[in-house]
């Protein structure tokens, strides 16, 4: 809270000395007793992302003693950098960053560090020159997710010849990097698996559909779609159905996230295997902040537990008990 008053004093000095006011408000009496958190969110590209935003809003609520300032970067790193600078200028107590890509954060995080604002990274990782630039990270092991997906393919098809279409997420994001590494590793080990197409669908349903429609229009033949998230898989499924193909029978679909809608499709046999990516980081971030407020030290890196689902393991009971 002291930081907020410091920012207010600086702003008053600025007005007195230069006769100019800063662009953004620096303190507001209504929120005096609250912990102010600036959250730079990637965007709203997927069901996963929306569940993640909701989870943060529910945990860091006014009822729980927080004022959450949410900034949606529309999948653009420049927007995230601007948002973080605004948070610093506003004198927030904590910055939470869900990074678009891994690279390119050193300068802005050094600015947050100089301002004495703890930075908590969630979901994807960053590549930092110096890891003292952030307080801690919590998220998924994306490489493990990729390895689990190809392990299922290996079990299902063994050494059969396979033609694989690969829909990638945003290039340079940890989710894309880890899931792509998993597939690349398996492709190197299975010469009879052929990668017939690879491109980014930006983690969106519209782009997933567009890419698969274009492939079908070119008459490209394939047996498997390895889609780096559920939303691109939904788009791919729509494209297949429009072309008269049966997802799950004519084409095997592997996906990531395991959101509610996708698990319904696993039950229906249209998605063959879905690797969970857990978006419910709100309560985890809340626990980290509470620990820091109490003078504690949270672990630097925390990987969340995740499961996998196929027709043999999914049940209505599992579906009903899930929060996303
Ligand atoms: O970083 C997590 C990924 O980002 C999820 O798999 C995807 O759906 C989201 O947009």
């Amino acid at each position: 809270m002291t930081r907020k008053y410091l920012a207010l004093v600086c702003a008053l000095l600025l007005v007195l000395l230069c006769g100019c006011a800063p662009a953004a408000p620096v303190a507001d009496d209504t929120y005096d007793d609250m912990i102010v958190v600036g959250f730079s969110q990637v965007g709203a590209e997927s069901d996963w992302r929306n569940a993640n935003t909701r989870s943060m809003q529910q945990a860091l609520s006014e009822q729980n003693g927080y004022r959450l300032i949410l900034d949606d970067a529309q999948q653009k790193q420049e927007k995230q950098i601007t948002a973080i600078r605004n948070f610093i200028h506003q004198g927030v107590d904590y910055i939470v960053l869900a990074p678009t890509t891994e690279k390119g954060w050193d300068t802005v995080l050094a600015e947050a560090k100089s301002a004495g604002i703890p930075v908590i990274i969630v979901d994807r990782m960053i590549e930092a020159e110096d890891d003292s630039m952030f307080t801690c990270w919590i998220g998924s092991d994306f490489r493990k997710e990729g390895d689990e997906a190809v392990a299922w393919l290996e079990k299902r098809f063994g050494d059969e010849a396979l033609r694989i279409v690969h829909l990638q997420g945003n290039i340079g994001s940890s989710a894309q990097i880890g899931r792509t590494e998993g597939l690349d590793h398996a492709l190197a080990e299975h010469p009879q698996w052929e990668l017939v197409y690879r491109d980014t669908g930006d983690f969106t349903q519209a782009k997933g559909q567009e890419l698969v429609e274009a492939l079908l229009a070119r008459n490209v033949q394939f047996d498997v779609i390895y889609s780096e998230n559920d939303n691109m898989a939904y788009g791919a499924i729509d494209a297949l159905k429009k072309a008269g193909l049966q997802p799950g029978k004519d084409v095997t679909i592997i996906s990531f996230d395991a959101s509610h809608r996708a698990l319904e499709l696993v039950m229906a046999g249209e998605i063959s295997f879905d690797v969970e990516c857990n978006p419910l980081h709100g309560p985890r971030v809340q626990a980290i902040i509470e620990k820091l407020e109490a003078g504690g030290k949270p672990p630097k890196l925390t990987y969340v537990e995740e499961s996998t689902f196929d027709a043999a393991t999914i049940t209505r009971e599992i579906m009903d008990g899930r929060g996303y």
Side-chain angles (χ1 to χ4, degrees):
M1 246 32 85
T2 335
R3 210 174 295 114
K4 201 159 54 183
Y5 287 107
L6 196 66
L8 181 61
V9 170
C10 291
L12 286 173
L13 279 175
L14 204 67
V15 175
L16 287 173
L17 294 174
C18 331
C20 60
V26 289
D28 181 338
D29 286 348
T30 328
Y31 300 108
D32 276 355
D33 297 330
M34 293 189 169
I35 297 173
V36 182
V37 179
F39 175 36
S40 171
Q41 175 60 293
V42 168
E45 72 283 3
S46 62
D47 294 0
W48 187 101
R49 188 63 55 197
N50 295 335
N52 177 245
T53 300
R54 276 196 306 277
S55 169
M56 295 289 288
Q57 287 169 324
Q58 280 160 9
L60 305 183
S61 64
E62 292 197 4
Q63 217 179 0
N64 290 342
Y66 292 88
R67 181 192 173 202
L68 180 68
I69 310 172
L70 172 69
D71 186 276
D72 174 341
Q74 297 162 344
Q75 303 224 69
K76 294 195 171 56
Q77 188 182 35
E78 321 83 79
K79 282 186 188 279
Q80 293 204 284
I81 291 173
T82 304
I84 293 171
R85 293 206 166 112
N86 282 335
F87 296 151
I88 296 170
H89 179 63
Q90 287 170 295
V92 300
D93 298 305
Y94 294 90
I95 291 172
V96 179
L97 168 64
T100 42
T101 50
E102 292 195 346
K103 292 184 197 252
W105 301 102
D106 290 316
T107 309
V108 76
L109 292 191
E111 291 166 24
K113 190 181 171 189
S114 312
I117 303 175
V119 175
I120 300 162
I121 315 273
V122 291
D123 170 26
R124 304 169 184 175
M125 213 347 158
I126 60 158
E127 223 184 86
E129 267 171 23
D130 163 10
D131 78 356
S132 74
M133 303 245 195
F134 63 94
T135 304
C136 58
W137 167 86
I138 184 147
S140 304
D141 185 339
F142 297 105
R143 173 62 200 266
K144 183 165 171 257
E145 291 178 357
D147 288 342
E148 276 170 346
V150 292
W152 185 89
L153 262 188
E154 276 161 356
K155 209 168 128 204
R156 168 75 182 75
F157 294 102
D159 281 336
E160 276 178 48
L162 282 185
R163 293 160 301 182
I164 302 174
V165 163
H166 181 191
L167 305 180
Q168 293 178 293
N170 289 99
I171 304 301
S173 66
S174 310
Q176 176 271 315
I177 294 170
R179 293 166 188 170
T180 296
E181 278 175 2
L183 179 59
D184 279 349
H185 182 76
L187 284 167
E189 298 217 317
H190 296 275
Q192 65 289 17
W193 290 8
E194 186 195 353
L195 182 69
V196 292
Y197 177 81
R198 164 179 281 173
D199 200 354
T200 177
D202 294 337
F203 285 129
T204 68
Q205 179 163 346
K207 200 78 195 290
Q209 178 166 352
E210 192 186 305
L211 294 180
V212 175
E213 277 178 359
L215 285 177
L216 294 167
R218 281 170 37 218
N219 207 21
V220 174
Q221 303 293 308
F222 51 90
D223 311 293
V224 173
I225 295 179
Y226 181 95
S227 169
E228 287 184 0
N229 87 340
D230 284 342
N231 286 77
M232 293 190 295
Y234 305 149
I237 287 171
D238 288 345
L240 293 173
K241 285 184 175 169
K242 257 172 85 181
L245 293 166
Q246 264 192 291
K249 292 212 165 60
D250 298 318
V251 178
T252 297
I253 299 176
I254 306 287
S255 186
F256 296 84
D257 287 353
S259 52
H260 208 273
R261 185 159 41 136
L263 291 184
E264 291 285 357
L265 296 174
V266 172
M267 273 202 154
E270 296 191 353
I271 292 180
S272 298
F273 189 66
D274 210 317
V275 183
E276 181 183 28
C277 181
N278 190 308
L280 305 180
H281 295 315
R284 299 175 185 129
V285 170
Q286 186 187 357
I288 289 170
I289 293 178
E290 277 164 17
K291 190 162 210 163
L292 291 167
E293 288 286 302
K297 196 172 176 223
K300 190 79 184 175
L301 305 178
T302 308
Y303 289 94
V304 296
E305 292 271 325
E306 293 172 335
S307 317
T308 59
F309 303 94
D310 63 6
T313 55
I314 189 72
T315 62
R316 186 51 63 190
E317 225 182 345
I318 295 176
M319 302 269 308
D320 292 345
R322 288 171 66 80
Y324 58 97

